[in-house]
Structure formats: structure tokens, C-alpha cells
């Protein structure tokens, strides 16, 4: 044990750390928004994104110097001068969506086109670089050019040109805006101009400097972004807007429907102005240190930012991440603890930090060995703080600024402390990579496998209401109570081994265990254990930590993201009242920089006094407010048909499709235009005239049909985020399809063929009359031969009646006859054993992989049973997924050995050729008798043994025996 003297500076930090109240809560800052970036490395043809728009069908469009880019959430599609004749040059500067939903794109050297009905159409040519395009309320199109003034194109394509002679102070126009009164505001290189009824008026309150962007707030006030700052006003009266904060460098403005003003700058910072409050996000939060050229708020309320260095999306997410950019000493977070002072302590690979409100600060530890130890575990009991490190043992901080350090030199089993716990009586438990150490009254006692632990690698510690200490290791759990250590083996629960975390529940009736095979519930009243894992449809096998929110949900951490499960559902699954889990998995797209949660040290999850959940991840500490979760089902997803292939050849996408009669293959590629989690979108199709209802496609955006019969069809497709109502028809896309008949299938051709056939039949009948007698003898001989064949076939049918057609085994009728023969010949055998074999969770096989895979699985199991039959044994398919096996002249040992061999071979077999991820196990009930005439009792006993095997975990062989009393928790299973 080491006592460390503290400097005055450290005493002050420790005082604030342990005793200071949390900082006052503030609104979630803009820096906590989720930032995502795309560049030419992710498919953009050019990193300069000059303009952004979204068409009514849901597509996002980006103007770049290498063409217009269409984005569906996953793929970028480029349109440049090489594919669009109307584009003289691929450099596109401006985008705008018209009132009819068309997209206008304009740019270098007069490139100007309209996108309508999946086609580009040329617009009147303007020999100038076009900086901005706008359609007004009268459907006139206005073009702002570079050094050529202002152009107006009316509905009849007549062009009017405004120049200096009309009152423009400069022929370089940067931006345009039409206000709610119909006035057109023109931002020039030399100030602001208002155009009303073709009359231009320069606004004197705005300096004669370049006006870059114009926006209008909900009150009708105009916001002018000029080279010297912001101005706000109405009519001709403008005044500086936030002159102290927003001055030079304004490059883009956006006023959204909520009344928020977004301001982009030339140095990559975005300001949010709401109710006279300013917040900002910039390069330090992940934005490129580059000029912001465009801002756009899409239908899902995500802010898209176009810069000179690529595309950025900024949006509210369910999770926010605090990393080294926000002040953590390291990004790899191992543990997180909510203190009684209301702060969050974060243990990282590079030291300890405290989060108080919106403030994050590093807490130095005065260890002689290292200035920034890697923190693995944390625990607070009263005013005592326990800190477990990776290399330097345990640090204990106590009132009066007393610090004690325990390491291997002091008697710890290892300096790698992965879990710590202090009980009410002051006893400290230290879980390490080499065993468990108890510190009581300065005396250290170590427990390892020699003392009752199932494994020396201790990862989790918890204390329940009775004072029992729960210990989680790599090979199971253990309980310490009343001075005794009791191992708790879990391998009978789906072969569970590692226990990473505990959660005692809020009422003390249960203990939840996060393990490498799922979530295990221990119920105190009957000491029962139940597992919720892959057999219950749980999507993730290895779980690290458990916490419960204020909405009665369990939150589970894993390497694949966060899982939210209603507590009521968890109990129903554990009680066997519910067969299938229905949970929500949160991953990277939800706001986490990494979905890898850490869990081999604890605690790695915590809940603060406001109900927020904090999670330790590989890229910072993640925070989520369960009360404000944005469900994906709240967002409707437009769906579009992007590509049609007919026999491998692409055809134009339209509302009607006509196919030739000899069409063999028809393929559709579609896209759900949702951008929050595009890879999670689920698709449904319905080809009316072929399908009877909607067909789920999962997240595969392709549907294919072959050899459609002539007729009329309608192809429907819709898309939803997970959790949306399947019956909803929002944004339904449909396409009418006609498959033409072959020429011989036409009505007139068919009538002519019928007439010809009648005439031929008459001729054939007459020709056949004189041939029939000659064939009479031949027919009689054929009748004789057919009679012999029928007799032979009857024998085959008799044989097949006793055989199961799917497996080749004997069927139920054969089984009954066999037992009857045994009872009629009592001297033939010296007793026999009967086994009933049932495939475990076979309904899940049919539901997940289809009934066809289920049939093949039954056949595979039958093959294993037949392979293990001895001469004289009788194997039969009992019915469905059940089989029977009669074994004469065996004792219980030999019968059990045969059944165990069958069970093991079925479990070990590889079924991936039947279905990806498919595993099969069987439960076997066994009963034996010396009296060969008592087979009905034998059936009942074998069935009860089978029920016992099912109810005690499946995948086992049980021999019928008389019922016994309750089994204690540490005894072997029956």
C-alpha cells in the first residue's frame, strides 16, 4: 500500500471533483449534433458543392464543378456535359426546384437545363456563367450571372436582360431572393438592389460590397449576408445584425421554417441563430476548414452543408458523442460512472475525465509511475472513490484528500483492475485479470480458481440487496455470501461462458447478467435462470452491460451497437410467454462515432439523475436521452424506381411498360429516399396479377421476375424505416406492365387454328376406322402387360404405405405394426428401449429459413438417425419433426449411448448448405421395458422424458424416471 502526498493544486482539483456540484444544465449545443462527411473518396465527382436542392420525389441534388449529382442515400449519380447535351460545361453553379417539381441546373459557359420526368431538357442559352437561378411566383425564371447582369425568362421563353443601364450597380450578380410581397432582391458585387415591377432600387443602408446570400425569417424580415457582415430589415431600412459576432466572412444563409437562421462562413463555421441566441459548430467539431458554399434543410430536418472540401450533413441524432475533440483525454473509453454529485466520470485509455453539464475536463491522478494511467474501472461508495487502472493497480480516494494505492506489491492479484466494488461495511472487492482480491481492514485476501472461482479473469462485480457479491468471469459467475464463495455455472444455458456485467433491477427481485450468449435472468424467489438469446430471435449474441431507463426499457451494450428492449418483453421471453424478441438496435447512423461499446471492464454504462444513459465506446463516451428517442418509423420514406432491365437490357423508366411475348427476365431496381439510416430501409413489392399480397424484400432494393404470362400487371413498391406500419401506402410507387401475347395467342389466330384442328380430326377419325381392328390384338396384349405392371405397382404401393416419403424411414403405421409384432413374440427379444426424438425450435427453422429448408433439415436429421441404427433397430418418422427409435436387446447404458451419439452428431453437423446460420439440435426422451406387451406405457414414459429434456434447456437425452424434488442452484441438471 502506498500513501501519496498531494500538492495544493491537486487538492483543489480533487475538491472540485468530489464535492463540487454539477454545472448548470444548458440546452444541447450545436457541437453535439451528428456530423457526417462525404468527399470524392465516397463517390462525389468533385469536392466543391456549390448548391443543394431536394426534388419532391425525395432525391437530393448537388451542384459541383464536375456536373449535377443525384443522391439516393447510398449512391451518387453524376450528370455532366458528356451525358447531358444541354450542359456546355460540367461546371454547375446553381440549382433550384420549380413550383411544378422540376429541377433547374445552371453554371459555367451558359449551361442551363431542366430535369423533368427522368429526362434533361435544354433551356434558352445564356452566354455567361450563371451564379444563381430562381423561379418567381409568376413562373418567370431569373438568372444571376457573372459579369453579364440579370436575365429573366418568361413562360413563353422570352428573355429580358437587365444591365447597368437599368440601374444595376454591378453586372456580377451573386444571389437572388423573392420575398412574400413579390419583390425580387438582387445581391450584386456592389451592394443590394430591389426590383419591383421592373424597376431597380439600390438599398443605401447596405454597403456597396458583395452581397453573398439573402434569407427571409418567419416575420418577413430580410437577412442580408454581405462581405462586411449581416444586415436585417424590411423595405429600404436595414441595420447591422449581430455586428459583434457575425462580421466579415459570411458566405451562406438559410432561414428554416422553425425560425432558425443558419449562417455559413468562409472558414468552415456554421452559426445557429435562434431567439437571439447564437451557437456554432466548426472544424473543431468535424466540419472541414473550408468555405461553406451552400446550406439546405431536407425533408428529414437534416442540415446539408456544401463546402470546397466536400459535403457535410449536420443533424440531431438519438445519440451524441463526447470525444477528445470535446476535451476527453482519450477516445477509447473503458468505464463511465455517475457520481453522487451529479457528474459523469469517464475512464479512458489516456486518463480520467469529469463531465459536468456541458463542460469536460481532465482529472490528473498523482501517480509516480505515469501522468495519465489507463482507467479500466470506477466505483463510488459514499465519499470514497475507487479507480481501477490497467497497469498501476487500484487508487482509493477518501475524504480529507487521502489517497491509497494498492498494487501487486501490496498483495493484489494483478495490477490490471477491471472491476471494483465497495460494500456498506467498507469491504473493497477488486476484480483483476489474475483473480479476485478482498480488502478488509487493510488485509488483502485473494480468490482464484483454487478457491472456487470458475476463472481467474474477473470482469464484473455487483452487490444485491441481501449483500451478496456477484462476480463475473470469463468462465461463468460466482456468488460470495456469508464468507463462502459459490460458483455459478451457466454452460447449460446455450453454452454460456463469459459474464461481462450485472444489473440487479429496481425491485431487487431479479439479477440480470450480460453474457457472451445473450441476456440471463436470475429470479431470487425460485433461484431459476433463464436466457434470452439467439433462440428467441435476439439479433446480437454477445452483450456487455445492462441498464434500465425511466421508461421501463433495458439498454444493452455490444460490439454491434446499443440494444433497447422493453423490460416487460424481457420478462415475457424469460418466462417462455413470448417466443420472439422485437428490439431496436442503434448503430453508427444514430449519432455514435463507433457502435463498438466496451464491456470487459465495468461499469461501462450509467444513468444520470435526468434519466440519460451514458455508454463507454471505442470512440468516446456516448449519451442518449431515452425519453427523446426519435423513432425511425416517424419518418415516411419516398420510394423511386431507378432502373429497369428486360432480358439484361436497360429500358427507360416510365409509368407504363410494354413487354414482348418472349420476355424471359424482368428486373427492377428501386430506392427508398431516406437519408437518416439508408441501409436500414425495408422494402416491400407487389406485382398485381402475379403476387397475392405484399412481398417483404428486407433491405434488398431489387426485385426480379421470370417468364411472366401474357396479360396486364401492376408493379408496386414501397419503403419504410424499421417499425413503420407495413400496411401504410405512403409514397407508393406503381408501374403498369403489359406482356403481349404470342401471335398464335391472339383471338383471330386461335379461331383459325381451332377450325383447322376440327378438319384434321375428321380426316384422322376416318383413317383410323380401318386401322382399329388391326390394332385390337395388339391392344389386348398391351392390356395384359399393363395388368402385370399394375400388380407390380400395387406391391410397390403397399411397400410405400409403410415408408415416410420425405426421409425414407418407416412411417407411423410401420412403427405401430413393429411394436405390435414385438408384443406378439415375447420370446424373440430380452426387453427393449424406446426413444422419441424431437428437433428443437423447429418452428423457428420454418419461420426464418422457409418450410423447404425445414423439410431438408428433417431429412438431414433422419439420415443421422438411420446411420446410427443397429441391425434389428427400428427407426421411424413419428410425425412432423418427431422420430421414434426402438432398440431391442439393450440396457439403459447402451440405449443412452446410442441416443447421445445421435444427439451429438446432429449438433455437430454443418447445415450451412441448407441455410446461412442454421444450427440444429434434438431433444430425446428414452424409456425401457422388459415386458414386450407394455408398449403403450413405454410411449407415455418416453414422451414425459422428452418433455423433461425440452423444459430443461433442450439438446439433451433424458431417461424417464420418477419425479424428484426441487434442484438447488449449484446442483447438476437432471
Amino acid at each position: 500500500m502506498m500513501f501519496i502526498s498531494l500538492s495544493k493544486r491537486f487538492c483543489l482539483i480533487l475538491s472540485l471533483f468530489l464535492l463540487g456540484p454539477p454545472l448548470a444544465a444548458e440546452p444541447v449545443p450545436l457541437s453535439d449534433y451528428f456530423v457526417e462527411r462525404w468527399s470524392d473518396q465516397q463517390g462525389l465527382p468533385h469536392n466543391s458543392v456549390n448548391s443543394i436542392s431536394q426534388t419532391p420525389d425525395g432525391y437530393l441534388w448537388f451542384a459541383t464543378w464536375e456536373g449535377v449529382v443525384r443522391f439516393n442515400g447510398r449512391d451518387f449519380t453524376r450528370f455532366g456535359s458528356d451525358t447531358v447535351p444541354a450542359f456546355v460545361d460540367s461546371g454547375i453553379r446553381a440549382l433550384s426546384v420549380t413550383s411544378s417539381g422540376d429541377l433547374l441546373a445552371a453554371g459555367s459557359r451558359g449551361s442551363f437545363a431542366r430535369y423533368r420526368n427522368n429526362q434533361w431538357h435544354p433551356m434558352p442559352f445564356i452566354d455567361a456563367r450563371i451564379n444563381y437561378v430562381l423561379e418567381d411566383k409568376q413562373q418567370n425564371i431569373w438568372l444571376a450571372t457573372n459579369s453579364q447582369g440579370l436575365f429573366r425568362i418568361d413562360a413563353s421563353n422570352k428573355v429580358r436582360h437587365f444591365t447597368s443601364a437599368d440601374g444595376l450597380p454591378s453586372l456580377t450578380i451573386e444571389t437572388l431572393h423573392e420575398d412574400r410581397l413579390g419583390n425580387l432582391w438582387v445581391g450584386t458585387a456592389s451592394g443590394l438592389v430591389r426590383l419591383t415591377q421592373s424597376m431597380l432600387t439600390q438599398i443605401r443602408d447596405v454597403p456597396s460590397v458583395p452581397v453573398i446570400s439573402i434569407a427571409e425569417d418567419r416575420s418577413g424580415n430580410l437577412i442580408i449576408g454581405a462581405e462586411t457582415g449581416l444586415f436585417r430589415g424590411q423595405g429600404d431600412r436595414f441595420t447591422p445584425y449581430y455586428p459583434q459576432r457575425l462580421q466579415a466572412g459570411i458566405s451562406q444563409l438559410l432561414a428554416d421554417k422553425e425560425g432558425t437562421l443558419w449562417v455559413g462562413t468562409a472558414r468552415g463555421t456554421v452559426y445557429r441563430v435562434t431567439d437571439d441566441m447564437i451557437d456554432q459548430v466548426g472544424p473543431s467539431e468535424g466540419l472541414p476548414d473550408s468555405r461553406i458554399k451552400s446550406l439546405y434543410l431536407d425533408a428529414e430536418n437534416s442540415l446539408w452543408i456544401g463546402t470546397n472540401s466536400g459535403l457535410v450533413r449536420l443533424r440531431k441524432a438519438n445519440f451524441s458523442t463526447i470525444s477528445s475533440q470535446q476535451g476527453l483525454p482519450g477516445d477509447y473509453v473503458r468505464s463511465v460512472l455517475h457520481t453522487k454529485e451529479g457528474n459523469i466520470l469517464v475512464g479512458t485509455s489516456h486518463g480520467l475525465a469529469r463531465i459536468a453539464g456541458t463542460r469536460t475536463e481532465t482529472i490528473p491522478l498523482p501517480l509516480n509511475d505515469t501522468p495519465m494511467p489507463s482507467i479500466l474501472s470506477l466505483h463510488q461508495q459514499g465519499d470514497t472513490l475507487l479507480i481501477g487502472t490497467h497497469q498501476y493497480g487500484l487508487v482509493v480516494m477518501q475524504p480529507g484528500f487521502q489517497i491509497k494505492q494498492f498494487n501487486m506489491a501490496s498483495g493484489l492479484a494483478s495490477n490490471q483492475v477491471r472491476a471494483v466494488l465497495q460494500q456498506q461495511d467498507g469491504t473493497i472487492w477488486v476484480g483483476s485479470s489474475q483473480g479476485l482480491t478482498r480488502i478488509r481492514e487493510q488485509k488483502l485476501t485473494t480468490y482464484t480458481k483454487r478457491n472456487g472461482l470458475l476463472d481467474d479473469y474477473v470482469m464484473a462485480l455487483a452487490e444485491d440487496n441481501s449483500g451478496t457479491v456477484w462476480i463475473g468471469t470469463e468462465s461463468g459467475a460466482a456468488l460470495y455470501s456469508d464468507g463462502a464463495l459459490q460458483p455459478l455455472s451457466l454452460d447449460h444455458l446455450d453454452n454460456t461462458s463469459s459474464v461481462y456485467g450485472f444489473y440487479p433491477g429496481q425491485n431487487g427481485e431479479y439479477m440480470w447478467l450480460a453474457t457472451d450468449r445473450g441476456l440471463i435472468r436470475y429470479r431470487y424467489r425460485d433461484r431459476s435462470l433463464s436466457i434470452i438469446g439467439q433462440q428467441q430471435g435476439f439479433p446480437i449474441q454477445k452483450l456487455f452491460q445492462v441498464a434500465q431507463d425511466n421508461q421501463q426499457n433495458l439498454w444493452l451494450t455490444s460490439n454491434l451497437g446499443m440494444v433497447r428492449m422493453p423490460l416487460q418483453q424481457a420478462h415475457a421471453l424469460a418466462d417462455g410467454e413470448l417466443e420472439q424478441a422485437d428490439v431496436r438496435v442503434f448503430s453508427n447512423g444514430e449519432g455514435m462515432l463507433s457502435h463498438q461499446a466496451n464491456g470487459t471492464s465495468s461499469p461501462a454504462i450509467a444513468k444520470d439523475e435526468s434519466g440519460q444513459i451514458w455508454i463507454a465506446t471505442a470512440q468516446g463516451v456516448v449519451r442518449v436521452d431515452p425519453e427523446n428517442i426519435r423513432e425511425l418509423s416517424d419518418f415516411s420514406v419516398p420510394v423511386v424506381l431507378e432502373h429497369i432491365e428486360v432480358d439484361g437490357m436497360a429500358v427507360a423508366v416510365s409509368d407504363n411498360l410494354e413487354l414482348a411475348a418472349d420476355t424471359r427476365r424482368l428486373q427492377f431496381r428501386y430506392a427508398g429516399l431516406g437519408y437518416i439510416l439508408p441501409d436500414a430501409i425495408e422494402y416491400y413489392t407487389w406485382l398485381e396479377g402475379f403476387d397475392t399480397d405484399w412481398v417483404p424484400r428486407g433491405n434488398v432494393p431489387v426485385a426480379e421476375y421470370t417468364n411472366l404470362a401474357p396479360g396486364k400487371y401492376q408493379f408496386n413498391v414501397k419503403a419504410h424505416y424499421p417499425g413503420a406500419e407495413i400496411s401504410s401506402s405512403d409514397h407508393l410507387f406503381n408501374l403498369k406492365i403489359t406482356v403481349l401475347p404470342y401471335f398464335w395467342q391472339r383471338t383471330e389466330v386461335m379461331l383459325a387454328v381451332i377450325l383447322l384442328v376440327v378438319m384434321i380430326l375428321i380426316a384422322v377419325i376416318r383413317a383410323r376406322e380401318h386401322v382399329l381392328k388391326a390394332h385390337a390384338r395388339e391392344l389386348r396384349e398391351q392390356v395384359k402387360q399393363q395388368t402385370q405392371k399394375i400388380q407390380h405397382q400395387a406391391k410397390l404401393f403397399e411397400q410405400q404405405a409403410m415408408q415416410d416419403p420425405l426421409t425414407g424411414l418407416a412411417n407411423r403405421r410401420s412403427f405401430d405394426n413393429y411394436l405390435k409384432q414385438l408384443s406378439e413374440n415375447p420370446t424373440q427379444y430380452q426387453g427393449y428401449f424406446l426413444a422419441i426424438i424431437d428437433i428443437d425450435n423447429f418452428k423457428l427453422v420454418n419461420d426464418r429459413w422457409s418450410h423447404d429448408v425445414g423439410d431438408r433439415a428433417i431429412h438431414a436429421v433422419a439420415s443421422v438417425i438411420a446411420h446410427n441404427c443397429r441391425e434389428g433397430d427400428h427407426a421411424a418418422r413419428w410425425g412432423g419433426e418427431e422420430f421414434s427409435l426402438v432398440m431391442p436387446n439393450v440396457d439403459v447404458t447402451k440405449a443412452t449411448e446410442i441416443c447421445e451419439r445421435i444427439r451429438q452428431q446432429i449438433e455437430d453437423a454443418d447445415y450451412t448448405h441448407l441455410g446461412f446460420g442454421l444450427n440444429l439440435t434434438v431433444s430425446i426422451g428414452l424409456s425401457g421395458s422388459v415386458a414386450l406387451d407394455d408398449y403403450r406405457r413405454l410411449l407415455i414414459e418416453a414422451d414425459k422424458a422428452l418433455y423433461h429434456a425440452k423444459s430443461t434447456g433442450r439438446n439433451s437425452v433424458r431417461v424417464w424416471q420418477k419425479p424428484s424434488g426441487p434442484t438447488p442452484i449449484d446442483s447438476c441438471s437432471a
Side-chain angles (χ1 to χ4, degrees), residues 416-548:
Q416 189 181 123
V417 178
R418 294 193 166 271
V420 288
L421 172 69
Q422 183 174 14
Q423 295 182 275
Q424 294 287 343
D425 62 2
T427 301
I428 295 176
W429 295 89
V430 183
S432 72
S433 59
Q434 297 296 323
L436 177 69
T437 300
R438 184 189 66 190
I439 304 175
R440 178 184 293 172
E441 297 177 352
Q442 310 304 318
K443 181 181 179 182
L444 280 69
T445 305
T446 297
Y447 300 87
T448 63
K449 293 174 67 174
R450 294 189 299 270
N451 308 104
L453 287 181
L454 295 175
D455 195 283
D456 291 344
Y457 201 92
V458 178
M459 298 176 288
L461 294 169
E463 182 181 15
D464 62 19
N465 291 348
S466 66
T468 299
V469 176
W470 290 70
I471 304 122
T473 75
E474 274 199 338
S475 300
L479 285 73
Y480 184 89
S481 179
D482 298 328
L485 192 65
Q486 180 184 11
L488 179 63
S489 176
L490 304 172
D491 54 3
H492 65 287
L493 297 173
D494 198 17
N495 200 28
T496 298
S497 178
S498 299
V499 178
Y500 301 106
F502 299 103
Y503 172 65
Q506 294 181 348
N507 53 16
E509 296 179 6
Y510 305 92
M511 178 66 78
W512 296 93
L513 289 70
T515 76
D516 60 347
R517 288 296 183 269
L519 182 64
I520 291 177
R521 187 195 69 180
Y522 174 81
R523 185 164 55 196
Y524 282 90
R525 73 167 184 264
D526 57 4
R527 297 189 297 171
S528 64
L529 289 163
S530 304
I531 188 168
I532 304 170
Q534 287 189 325
Q535 292 186 356
Q536 289 75 32
F538 205 80
I540 297 175
Q541 189 176 52
K542 183 181 292 185
L543 302 174
F544 290 139
Q545 302 276 299
V546 189
Q548 182 178 334

Side-chain angles (χ1 to χ4, degrees), residues 141-161:
I141 295 174
W142 296 85
L143 303 174
T145 71
N146 198 68
S147 74
Q148 294 295 323
L150 180 66
F151 292 84
R152 183 187 68 192
I153 304 174
D154 63 17
S156 60
N157 282 341
K158 291 182 179 180
V159 179
R160 177 170 177 183
H161 188 194

Side-chain angles (χ1 to χ4, degrees), residues 539-675:
I540 297 175
Q541 189 176 52
K542 183 181 292 185
L543 302 174
F544 290 139
Q545 302 276 299
V546 189
Q548 182 178 334
D549 64 20
N550 295 338
Q551 288 71 44
Q552 299 302 305
N553 296 308
L554 293 181
W555 288 82
L556 313 169
T557 71
S558 76
N559 279 327
L560 302 176
M562 291 294 298
V563 182
R564 183 189 65 185
M565 171 189 284
L567 179 62
Q568 184 178 3
Q569 180 187 139
H571 282 302
L573 288 166
D575 292 334
E577 299 172 356
L578 188 66
E579 293 184 357
Q580 204 70 6
D582 182 15
V583 300
R584 171 86 183 271
V585 179
F586 301 89
S587 189
N588 293 61
E590 303 282 358
M592 294 179 277
L593 298 181
S594 170
H595 58 225
Q596 177 187 328
N598 293 320
T600 57
S601 53
S602 63
I605 191 169
K607 182 178 73 170
D608 63 22
E609 69 276 359
S610 67
Q612 295 189 104
I613 305 292
W614 298 75
I615 307 108
T617 78
Q619 286 291 321
V621 60
V622 169
R623 176 180 59 202
V624 59
D625 186 350
E627 188 175 2
N628 295 324
I629 289 290
R630 302 171 77 201
E631 299 293 346
L632 292 176
S633 57
D634 295 338
F635 297 92
S636 60
V637 179
V639 63
V640 294
L641 188 61
E642 292 194 325
H643 186 75
I644 302 175
E645 278 190 11
V646 177
D647 289 338
M649 299 293 293
V651 300
V653 177
S654 62
D655 294 335
N656 291 279
L657 182 63
E658 190 173 276
L659 303 177
D662 59 350
T663 299
R664 293 290 179 263
R665 185 170 66 92
L666 177 61
Q667 185 185 83
F668 299 104
R669 293 183 181 272
Y670 36 82
L673 301 182
Y675 301 93

Side-chain angles (χ1 to χ4, degrees), residues 673-907:
L673 301 182
Y675 301 93
I676 297 176
L677 282 177
D679 293 332
I681 293 174
E682 299 173 350
Y683 296 96
Y684 303 85
T685 65
W686 183 4
L687 183 61
E688 295 185 46
F690 181 82
D691 300 317
T692 58
D693 204 346
W694 289 101
V695 177
R697 299 284 182 177
N699 58 0
V700 179
V702 178
E704 187 172 296
Y705 303 90
T706 57
N707 299 316
L708 290 177
K712 294 186 178 298
Y713 303 87
Q714 179 168 296
F715 177 71
N716 307 298
V717 59
K718 59 185 177 181
H720 305 282
Y721 283 123
E725 290 291 335
I726 297 178
S727 61
S728 172
S729 60
D730 293 343
H731 301 287
L732 176 69
F733 181 90
N734 54 68
L735 169 69
K736 297 186 181 301
I737 304 170
T738 302
V739 180
L740 299 174
Y742 288 97
F743 77 95
W744 44 265
Q745 292 177 316
R746 299 174 186 170
T747 303
E748 61 274 15
V749 175
M750 294 181 67
L751 290 174
V753 170
I754 292 173
L755 179 60
L756 179 62
V757 169
V758 170
M759 295 175 63
I760 293 174
L761 285 175
I762 293 175
V764 169
I765 291 172
R766 290 180 178 177
R768 289 286 293 173
E769 286 179 353
H770 66 277
V771 180
L772 290 176
K773 292 181 180 180
H775 286 298
R777 289 187 299 272
E778 182 180 352
L779 289 175
R780 284 193 294 270
E781 182 63 26
Q782 291 177 352
V783 168
K784 180 180 178 181
Q785 293 176 357
Q786 288 293 85
T787 301
Q788 293 174 347
K789 290 181 180 179
I790 290 172
Q791 291 173 347
H792 177 69
Q793 190 67 38
K795 293 181 179 179
L796 292 178
F797 286 159
E798 182 180 356
Q799 179 181 355
Q800 292 172 358
M802 305 295 285
Q803 186 180 51
D804 178 57
L806 175 62
T807 62
L809 297 178
N811 60 13
R812 177 68 177 271
R813 178 184 297 177
S814 176
F815 171 80
D816 291 339
N817 289 343
Y818 181 80
L819 289 182
K820 185 177 180 181
Q821 291 173 7
L822 285 179
S823 64
E824 292 173 354
N825 297 278
T827 61
Q828 184 176 1
Y829 299 108
Q830 298 300 317
Y832 62 101
F833 272 76
L834 170 64
I836 299 180
I837 306 169
D838 184 83
I839 301 176
D840 295 329
N841 299 307
F842 186 72
K843 181 178 183 300
L844 182 62
V845 177
N846 283 335
D847 291 348
R848 180 175 291 179
W849 285 277
S850 80
H851 287 274
D852 179 61
V853 172
D855 288 345
R856 288 191 283 166
I858 290 174
H859 186 273
V861 171
S863 299
V864 175
I865 296 172
H867 179 72
N868 285 276
C869 283
R870 306 169 306 150
E871 184 177 356
D873 290 350
H874 187 277
R877 184 181 177 191
W878 181 262
E881 67 271 22
E882 287 188 333
F883 302 84
S884 63
L885 177 60
V886 181
M887 297 168 285
N889 293 331
V890 294
D891 56 14
V892 65
T893 301
K894 183 63 176 178
T896 304
E897 176 187 340
I898 294 171
C899 292
E900 181 60 31
R901 184 167 61 248
I902 291 173
R903 183 201 67 77
Q904 188 65 47
Q905 290 181 7
I906 291 172
E907 181 185 14

Side-chain angles (χ1 to χ4, degrees), residues 81-219:
S81 57
D82 53 337
T83 58
V84 181
F87 291 160
V88 182
D89 187 274
S90 290
I92 303 301
R93 179 71 175 81
L95 297 175
S96 180
V97 177
T98 69
S99 57
S100 60
D102 299 342
L103 178 72
L104 300 176
S108 301
R109 301 179 62 182
S111 297
F112 189 24
R114 179 193 297 265
Y115 190 78
R116 174 190 292 170
N117 297 329
N118 300 317
Q119 297 291 329
W120 287 99
H121 306 276
M123 297 294 288
F125 179 74
I126 304 295
D127 189 14
R129 191 184 86 175
I130 302 171
N131 291 331
Y132 203 93
V133 59
L134 177 145
E135 182 192 63
D136 66 17
K137 294 180 177 64
Q138 284 72 42
Q139 298 184 342
N140 298 309
I141 295 174
W142 296 85
L143 303 174
T145 71
N146 198 68
S147 74
Q148 294 295 323
L150 180 66
F151 292 84
R152 183 187 68 192
I153 304 174
D154 63 17
S156 60
N157 282 341
K158 291 182 179 180
V159 179
R160 177 170 177 183
H161 188 194
F162 294 84
T163 64
S164 301
D166 299 289
L168 284 176
S170 172
L171 293 181
T172 295
I173 313 297
E174 300 287 350
T175 186
L176 301 170
H177 176 78
E178 185 185 22
D179 66 19
R180 61 188 64 185
L181 299 177
N183 298 311
L184 183 70
W185 296 84
V186 184
T188 77
S190 298
L192 179 66
V193 174
R194 186 186 69 232
L195 190 151
T196 305
Q197 296 179 352
S198 299
M199 293 182 60
L200 292 166
T201 303
Q202 185 164 6
I203 306 303
R204 301 302 176 185
D205 286 346
V206 177
S208 296
V209 296
V211 173
I212 308 301
S213 185
I214 304 173
E216 185 175 359
D217 64 19
R218 289 188 299 180
S219 301

Side-chain angles (χ1 to χ4, degrees), residues 376-394:
L376 295 183
S377 53
L378 296 165
H379 180 77
Q380 186 181 37
Q381 179 65 41
D383 293 330
T384 300
L385 180 68
L386 306 180
I387 304 173
T389 70
H390 186 270
Q391 292 178 298
Y392 305 101
L394 173 67

